[in-house]
Amino acid sequence: LTGETGTGKSLIIDAIGLLFGNRASSNMVRFGEDKATIEGVFANLSNEAYLSLQENDIDFDINDVIIIKREIFSNGKSLSRINGASVTLSQLLDVTNYIGDIHSQFDAVSLLNPKNYLHFLKTPEIEKEISIYQKEFTEYRQNLNAYNELLKKEQDAKEKENFLKFQINEFMKYNLSVEEENNLKEESKFLSNYENIFENINEINLLAFENGTLDNLYLAISYLQKLEKIDDRYRVLRENLEENYYNLNDLFNNPLLKNKSYQFDENRLEEVNSRLGIYSDMKRKYKKDTETLITYFDNIKKELELIENYSYYLQKAKEKLDFSYNKTLEIAKNIRNKRIDFSHEIIEKVTKHLVDLQLQDTKFLISFNTLDKIVFHTDGIDEVDFLVSFNKGESLKPLSKVASGGELSRFVLALKTALSANEKQKMRIFDEIDNGVSGRIAYSIAEKIKHIANDSQVICITHLPQVASIADTHYKILKNVKDNRTYTEIIKLDFDNRIIEIAGMISKGNPTAASLSLAKELLSTTTNF
């Protein structure tokens, strides 16, 4: 893909990136439209891609193409579909990870930060180990947090243990209960109103006994008995009055209505009120009612019990933590060994590709951190640096410190080529990865990209005529304005138009006789690759 800057070449790559699961934004929707739609058709997928489709329950025919579609709405929402079935962004990423990837000039920028280097030391086996490690690492952190929390609680609890013991001793001394408090309140109320109670009881006894109320009722019963003998209808009246008489007799003879049952004791009233004063003082002191206060002290008992047994709980938590630490470390070391083994392979391959890219004197080393102090990270215990020397006689130094723009571009291409060796049937998209190079080096980059195309489909945005001329198919990207709206147009170039386009790239956009001749020569020469 070639074209002037700003014509929309990167727009095409961005669209493919959306199909590969890149984040969508409402800013991508054309002004005045409700949504943007991107659709891609993919064929000749790898076995891994088909396996991913199967694992994500997506229907497919292994001999047919798959269709990926993204719809981005102006309200910020987006939909993803594979073969018509709605999928999550996570599922889309999982599948397209085996379909293709995009390498841009920003990949070179990422090599300026050593934190990104572990990303390049991955194989399916290592990624599987990392997945296992991350589960163990999560459990280790949970155990570590639990142990530290217990340790902190123990330290805090030890500091307030004496205070808690003082509180619980105070509670045990007073032996408070809701039932006792209610009984005391009732008794205090009774004793405080003794004279009033006594007077009322006297009046009741006077009415019942001295005034003859009960005797008169009994006499009335005898008169009803006489009437009953004359007329049986009086029998019901007699029975009712007789029943009420005996009930009233029982009532007036209840001990609660006998004066001798009540012996007023001023000392008892003082005792009751003193005991209630303890309840009031405790509730005011702790700002809780009696029921909540009792619950509070029950919790203090449990806390003191925990404090007294902290050594046991800490020992168990430490055993669990140590087991988790050792298990996590074992997996991390296993990942480290696999990374180190893989790094030797990468060093050898990258060095060979750098020679092909006119960096014959380059020395390359992947340096791993020592394990003097173990630090767990989300992807293991490793920290790596890429050390290089691009010139003979120079010592190895961090890549981020010594590489020029052109050297970085070639290093990225060499690294990507080395990593892609085992990932055939995968689309490779290079977005100006040849930035910052020219001349003979440009030919070397073109040849390296062509080499990758032997096993993978390659789409390449380039400003280099050497790279454009080596491609099997050449598209030109144009920007046109129609009805005051801007459109990007893609034109497939035939051989004659390729000559004109490449000649324009050689001579700053204006083909000349010399550039046309050179373009024709370039195209004729590269057909041999």
Side-chain angles (χ1 to χ4, degrees):
L1 310 181
T2 61
E4 296 294 334
T5 300
T7 54
K9 299 186 298 300
S10 293
L11 181 66
I12 297 170
I13 304 304
D14 291 341
I16 298 175
L18 289 169
L19 294 179
F20 285 174
N22 289 351
R23 290 286 178 182
S25 167
S26 59
N27 294 330
M28 297 174 174
V29 180
R30 189 179 182 91
F31 177 74
E33 300 292 338
D34 295 328
K35 68 177 181 178
T37 303
I38 308 98
E39 193 169 54
V41 181
F42 300 87
N44 299 324
L45 304 185
S46 65
N47 292 332
E48 290 81 6
Y50 287 118
L51 181 61
S52 180
L53 287 167
Q54 184 178 353
E55 289 174 347
N56 285 282
D57 295 323
I58 299 169
D59 291 334
F60 65 92
D61 184 339
I62 201 164
N63 296 315
D64 202 355
V65 299
I66 70 163
I67 300 173
I68 300 176
K69 185 176 182 179
R70 289 287 297 275
E71 291 179 297
I72 305 161
F73 297 90
S74 56
N75 62 5
K77 295 182 179 180
S78 70
L79 292 176
S80 305
R81 299 179 189 277
I82 300 179
N83 288 347
S86 294
V87 294
T88 64
L89 196 60
S90 176
Q91 288 175 307
L92 181 61
L93 285 165
D94 190 37
V95 173
T96 57
N97 179 55
Y98 300 104
I99 295 177
D101 50 34
I102 299 172
H103 312 299
S104 71
Q105 53 186 309
F106 297 107
D107 288 333
V109 176
S110 71
L111 284 176
L112 297 177
N113 186 353
K115 290 182 179 179
N116 298 321
Y117 293 167
L118 279 180
H119 169 75
F120 299 106
L121 298 179
K122 283 185 179 180
T123 64
E125 187 179 4
I126 290 174
E127 288 189 273
K128 185 177 179 180
E129 287 281 339
I130 290 175
S131 178
I132 298 171
Y133 163 84
Q134 287 173 340
K135 291 178 182 178
E136 290 298 331
F137 179 45
T138 298
E139 186 173 341
Y140 164 73
R141 284 192 298 184
Q142 290 172 347
N143 292 333
L144 179 62
N145 290 337
Y147 177 76
N148 288 334
E149 186 67 23
L150 195 61
L151 200 61
K152 183 178 183 301
K153 281 184 178 180
E154 183 201 32
Q155 293 169 347
D156 294 341
K158 288 293 184 184
E159 293 175 2
K160 65 177 183 179
E161 181 178 9
N162 291 334
F163 177 65
L164 293 177
K165 284 183 176 179
F166 167 78
Q167 287 187 322
I168 202 68
N169 288 337
E170 184 179 37
F171 175 73
M172 297 296 289
K173 172 184 174 183
Y174 294 130
N175 193 26
L176 307 180
S177 77
V178 175
E179 182 181 6
E180 184 200 29
E181 183 183 28
N182 290 335
N183 292 337
L184 288 170
K185 286 179 179 179
E186 291 295 323
E187 188 176 359
S188 175
K189 183 179 178 181
F190 177 83
L191 293 172
S192 298
N193 292 278
Y194 179 78
E195 290 185 3
N196 190 19
I197 293 170
F198 186 77
E199 288 177 4
N200 284 282
I201 288 175
N202 275 340
E203 291 298 326
I204 291 170
N205 281 300
L206 183 64
L207 289 170
F209 300 108
E210 294 186 20
N211 290 349
T213 299
L214 287 174
D215 291 339
N216 289 332
L217 287 173
Y218 189 79
L219 185 60
I221 290 171
S222 67
Y223 288 130
L224 284 171
Q225 285 174 338
K226 292 176 181 180
L227 290 171
E228 181 184 347
K229 291 178 181 179
I230 300 170
D231 188 340
D232 191 59
R233 288 179 298 175
Y234 289 98
R235 180 173 59 81
V236 175
L237 296 176
R238 190 264 307 166
E239 288 175 351
N240 287 340
L241 181 58
E242 197 171 62
E243 182 181 356
N244 287 325
Y245 168 77
Y246 287 115
N247 286 336
L248 287 170
N249 189 62
D250 289 341
L251 186 149
F252 287 125
N253 283 289
N254 190 295
L256 289 173
L257 295 178
K258 298 300 179 183
N259 288 333
K260 62 182 180 181
S261 300
Y262 300 99
Q263 306 259 335
F264 179 70
D265 186 350
E266 290 186 2
N267 291 332
R268 177 57 186 166
L269 178 60
E270 186 177 339
E271 289 174 5
V272 169
N273 287 335
S274 176
R275 180 66 177 166
L276 284 172
I278 292 173
Y279 277 89
S280 297
D281 290 342
M282 292 289 282
K283 289 192 289 186
R284 184 170 57 254
K285 180 177 180 179
Y286 291 97
K287 296 182 174 58
K288 304 178 191 300
D289 60 42
T290 302
E291 186 174 359
T292 310
L293 195 63
I294 291 170
T295 302
Y296 170 72
F297 281 111
D298 284 341
N299 291 333
I300 286 180
K301 288 178 186 177
K302 293 175 183 177
E303 190 172 355
L304 278 171
E305 182 182 353
L306 183 64
I307 291 171
E308 291 167 356
N309 292 282
Y310 256 126
S311 58
Y312 171 78
Y313 295 122
L314 275 172
Q315 179 185 350
K316 290 297 180 183
K318 186 65 166 61
E319 289 174 359
K320 190 174 182 180
L321 176 62
D322 289 344
F323 178 81
S324 181
Y325 174 88
N326 291 329
K327 193 172 182 181
T328 305
L329 181 59
E330 181 184 357
I331 299 170
K333 285 184 175 179
N334 194 33
I335 293 171
R336 180 183 177 89
N337 291 334
K338 285 181 169 60
R339 279 177 174 155
I340 291 173
D341 290 343
F342 185 54
S343 71
H344 297 321
E345 180 183 336
I346 292 298
I347 291 170
E348 182 180 352
K349 289 181 178 179
V350 169
T351 302
K352 179 181 179 300
H353 291 306
L354 287 172
V355 171
D356 296 339
L357 293 168
Q358 308 302 315
L359 288 171
Q360 294 91 340
D361 296 324
T362 301
K363 293 180 182 177
F364 173 45
L365 177 67
I366 299 177
S367 171
F368 282 75
N369 60 312
T370 62
L371 297 183
D372 298 336
K373 182 180 179 182
I374 301 294
V375 178
F376 290 122
H377 305 289
T378 56
D379 50 6
I381 55 175
D382 301 324
E383 297 175 14
V384 300
D385 201 356
F386 287 177
L387 305 179
V388 297
S389 169
F390 289 110
N391 300 304
K392 187 175 291 187
E394 294 294 326
S395 61
L396 289 166
K397 294 178 182 177
L399 174 68
S400 57
K401 305 291 185 184
V402 298
S404 65
E407 288 168 336
L408 267 180
S409 296
R410 283 180 280 173
F411 189 90
V412 169
L413 184 56
L415 185 60
K416 296 287 185 179
T417 306
L419 293 172
S420 65
N422 298 322
E423 295 180 328
K424 298 181 180 181
Q425 288 182 277
K426 190 170 182 179
M427 180 191 296
R428 308 286 170 187
I429 300 174
F430 295 110
D431 184 4
E432 297 189 29
I433 198 171
D434 50 18
N435 187 49
V437 299
S438 59
R440 186 176 55 152
I441 297 172
Y443 284 104
S444 300
I445 287 181
E447 291 170 9
K448 187 58 63 178
I449 294 175
K450 185 70 173 181
H451 174 76
I452 297 173
N454 289 332
D455 296 311
S456 305
Q457 181 183 16
V458 173
I459 297 176
C460 180
I461 291 178
T462 184
H463 289 286
L464 292 179
Q466 295 92 330
V467 175
S469 63
I470 208 169
D472 298 310
T473 308
H474 189 164
Y475 292 90
K476 182 174 183 178
I477 316 301
L478 299 171
K479 182 185 289 185
N480 293 319
V481 176
K482 182 180 180 182
D483 297 330
N484 291 322
R485 297 304 301 269
T486 304
Y487 296 88
T488 291
E489 185 179 0
I490 306 174
I491 301 174
K492 184 177 180 180
L493 301 179
D494 58 20
F495 185 80
D496 291 337
N497 282 313
R498 286 188 74 182
I499 293 174
I500 296 171
E501 174 67 8
I502 293 171
M505 296 172 69
I506 295 171
S507 55
K508 300 180 180 180
N510 296 310
T512 63
S515 63
L516 287 167
S517 175
L518 181 55
K520 190 172 183 179
E521 182 183 344
L522 279 172
L523 284 169
S524 299
T525 303
T526 53
T527 55
N528 296 322
F529 287 102

